[in-house]
Amino acid sequence: MRFSGGRFPFRGRGLEIGCGSGRDSLFMASLACSVVAADGRERMLEEARRHFAGENAEGITLRLAHTPSLQDIRRSRRSMSML
């Protein structure tokens, strides 16, 4: 992650979608942010939990998030046009 002037642009809350191993979530949490880290795969959330072991991760909340596929989006658009 890069930011102008080497400073994080905000403090407070952060959201990482597709958090994977949670490396960026740990970075955001280290800058006094509370972070919701979401991923669509439980396996990646388990990886993040292992990555957080021994780290100061108390400001991070992990969430399993369903990400609709392109097929799901097309299907819902078709059903909306039939109304």
Side-chain angles (χ1 to χ4, degrees):
M1 295 178 130
R2 297 179 95 179
F3 304 103
S4 63
R7 296 185 49 187
F8 200 61
F10 68 93
R11 298 228 187 267
R13 295 183 286 179
L15 171 64
E16 183 179 10
I17 299 173
C19 68
S21 68
R23 185 182 69 192
D24 293 335
S25 299
L26 274 173
F27 174 72
M28 287 190 279
S30 75
L31 298 168
C33 292
S34 63
V35 179
V36 174
D39 203 289
R41 297 174 292 172
E42 182 64 42
R43 183 177 62 90
M44 293 312 297
L45 295 177
E46 290 300 322
E47 177 76 22
R49 285 184 188 95
R50 281 192 296 278
H51 188 91
F52 295 165
E55 299 285 342
N56 184 12
E58 61 189 57
I60 301 174
T61 303
L62 292 171
R63 296 271 188 238
L64 182 63
H66 170 71
T67 307
S69 68
L70 185 56
Q71 196 172 36
D72 291 339
I73 294 168
R74 286 182 180 147
R75 211 176 294 133
S76 77
R77 288 177 94 190
R78 267 188 257 127
S79 66
M80 292 298 286
S81 66
M82 294 180 189
L83 295 176

